[in-house]
Each structure stands twice: as structure tokens, then as C-alpha cells.
Amino acid sequence: MRSALLSTFAVMALAGGCVGSLETTPPGGPGPNPGGPDAGNVSATNAKPEFDQNVYPIVKAKCIGCHSSAGPAGNVTGFVATDAAQGYVTLTGYTALVGNYTPTSAALLNKVSAGHQGITYTADELSKITGWLEKEASLRSGAGPDPTPQPGTESPSAATERLLKQWSGCMSLANFTQANMADAWGNLTTTNNQECKNCHVSGAEGFIATDVPEPFFNVVSSDKYYMLQYFTVDLSGGTAAAKVIINTTSFNGVSQGQDPHRQHPRFNATDNNGMRALQSFYDLTTARMAAGTCDPSRLTN
């Protein structure tokens, strides 16, 4: 049923005349998207040199053919900069690629290593990407690299996986509907009068927004890459204090057309019905977690 509905939505999305949409990507597909957790306010860490030296050459060789930032006008999946100096800022602007920088959440590692478009990584390439992600996650957690981790200490990747699984089970369709998520996000309108559902009804570019509650909920609660557009795991206080939070920065860069999102229609990223609905859904999900009435994890990846 979910597959049939999403196929129908894909046709509707194409009919909507989306600005910047190169392809319709179903949930579980490659998924770079027009808004990432640090989109619009990407800040380099001490891990940037490692990205520049070890990771950028890999993604340039493997991905630039389809995802060049110098591609056709409107290439919202152009996460590989042709200029190496812009490589870090451009790639880390996409949530669907980097998640919260843990190997658990980063599609850059997981989807391509699973054979996306027939592309594979060598063991050395996997090691380099994993090493960079782990360093980013550690630095962004505020803890910094730990050369002598203590036995039993939860890693950033393990904390992220645990919390995302728990959060997915605490979500419910009833609360999703009560919060008005579908109407608020599906009908959210940009300054050129496009609604989010016109382009993202089927999950194109790694972001889903439709005014039909059940398929919308099913995707966000079961696919972590789509969930991460709305929620993320905050590691800033270290893994012991890690928690799920609303991904308030995920829409900033795209809403203002900042690199790498210059082609996306503009919209207010903070004061809109979508963010109000998201806050309501977050509060309802948090209350369900506190009450101990959550279901088992719904995540399928």
C-alpha cells in the first residue's frame, strides 16, 4: 500500500512543476536534500583537513557525475563542489548525507556502501569516510577525540542509533495527526507560491512533505534519513546527555538560498505552520516517552 501511494504521489509531484527537482527519490533512495542540520550555518571543525585530504577526493571521483554543484540550474542534489576549497561547506550542508555526523546516521557512508547506483567503496575508502565522520561527531559533541576511551562508554554513533530507535517507537500516527503535521507541512508555501507537497510529496531530494497523514507518518517514523530532516540527536553535551531535539537549523540555509541551496524557493524557516506543528508533535512524542507507553522501534534502516 505504501509503495502504491508513493508511486501515485510521484506522478503528482512531477505535475507540480518543481523548481530545482532533478529526480523523484522514493524513501530509502539516495536522498541528498535541500536542507541539512547545519545548512546555512555550517562551521568548520578541526576535522575539515581530514575531509579535504581523505574524503573530498573520494566523493569527487564517485559522485560528481550525478551530483556536481555545477550541474544544471536547479541541481538541488549538487553536493559535490567542483572547487575543492568549497567541498566541505557544500557537502556538509546536506542532512541526508551527514546526519549528525555519526557513521550510524550518515547516508554518505551507509547508502553508497550498500551499492547505491552500483557504486562501491573500497575498504580503504570506507575507513577514511568512517574516520572523518567519527572525528566530526566527537568534536561536535564537545568532548573532542578520546585517545583512551573507557570500556563501557557509549560512542556517539551508538547513542544516536539508540535514541533514534527509541524516538521512532514513541511517535504515533494519532499524535502526528493531532499536531496537524500533514496539513502544515504539505501545504507550507514558498514565496513563489509553491507548496512543499508539490516537490516533496514522494520524498524527493530526501525530504518528505505531503498533506496525507498516514504515508507521511510511515516514512518519517520508519526511515531515519527522513526522520533526521525533522529531528536530530544532539550530542553537544556528550553522549551521556545526548537527546533527540527538533532540527531547527535544518531549514535555515535552504530557506535563504544559501550555498548549496541557491535554486530553492525562499520561505520563512522559523515562523510558519510547519514549525508550529513540529513543536506540537515533538511535545506529544516527548510526553509519550515520559509516560513509558512507546511502541517498539519502527526504523527499518
Side-chain angles (χ1 to χ4, degrees):
M1 175 63 73
R2 171 177 155 182
S3 177
L5 283 170
L6 290 172
S7 295
T8 300
F9 293 160
V11 175
M12 294 165 60
L14 291 174
C18 303
V19 173
S21 179
L22 293 181
E23 57 185 299
T24 299
T25 307
N33 73 88
D38 293 312
N41 40 182
V42 174
S43 57
T45 70
N46 290 336
K48 181 180 181 297
E50 189 167 330
F51 172 89
D52 291 342
Q53 179 177 345
N54 294 336
V55 180
Y56 176 75
I58 296 171
V59 296
K60 183 177 182 182
K62 302 280 188 176
C63 309
I64 200 167
C66 295
H67 299 290
S68 171
S69 62
N75 183 6
V76 295
T77 60
F79 59 83
V80 185
T82 55
D83 179 0
Q86 298 300 314
Y88 183 88
V89 170
T90 301
L91 185 142
T92 57
Y94 285 90
T95 296
L97 286 179
V98 297
N100 70 339
Y101 295 93
T102 61
T104 294
S105 66
L108 174 64
L109 179 67
N110 298 320
K111 290 193 175 181
V112 175
S113 62
H116 166 59
Q117 299 296 325
I119 296 172
T120 58
Y121 291 142
T122 66
D124 180 63
E125 289 168 338
L126 287 171
S127 177
K128 287 177 178 177
I129 295 171
T130 300
W132 168 66
L133 288 169
E134 288 178 338
K135 187 172 183 178
E136 286 281 359
S138 182
L139 289 168
R140 290 169 186 269
S141 74
D146 186 355
T148 57
Q150 298 300 310
T153 301
E154 191 175 32
S155 69
S157 190
T160 296
E161 183 175 14
R162 171 178 57 81
L163 289 167
L164 291 180
K165 285 181 176 179
Q166 182 184 28
W167 190 255
S168 73
C170 291
M171 293 179 177
S172 74
L173 178 59
N175 286 341
F176 189 87
T177 303
Q178 181 180 331
N180 198 36
M181 282 286 290
D183 180 69
W185 283 102
N187 296 310
L188 188 66
T189 305
T190 62
T191 56
N192 70 345
N193 294 318
Q194 286 198 49
E195 296 176 335
C196 287
K197 65 185 178 185
N198 294 149
C199 293
H200 299 292
V201 66
S202 61
E205 286 77 52
F207 180 79
I208 187 167
T210 167
D211 57 4
V212 184
E214 187 167 358
F216 189 178
F217 171 79
N218 288 344
V219 171
V220 171
S221 63
S222 67
D223 189 310
K224 67 184 174 186
Y225 301 115
Y226 286 86
M227 183 193 299
L228 283 164
Q229 312 312 308
Y230 293 98
F231 304 106
T232 190
V233 175
D234 179 15
L235 296 166
S236 61
T239 57
K243 61 181 179 180
V244 174
I245 60 172
I246 293 174
N247 199 348
T248 54
T249 60
S250 63
F251 306 103
N252 289 343
V254 62
S255 71
Q256 300 169 29
Q258 297 175 2
D259 285 338
H261 312 295
R262 281 176 282 175
Q263 301 297 331
H264 196 282
R266 310 298 189 259
F267 64 97
N268 187 319
T270 56
D271 183 16
N272 61 61
N273 289 336
M275 293 306 295
R276 284 185 281 274
L278 186 58
Q279 181 66 59
S280 176
F281 184 46
Y282 178 84
D283 292 342
L284 290 166
T285 304
T286 301
R288 191 175 184 217
M289 181 184 295
T293 58
C294 299
D295 302 317
S297 173
R298 294 182 173 84
L299 288 183
T300 58
N301 56 10

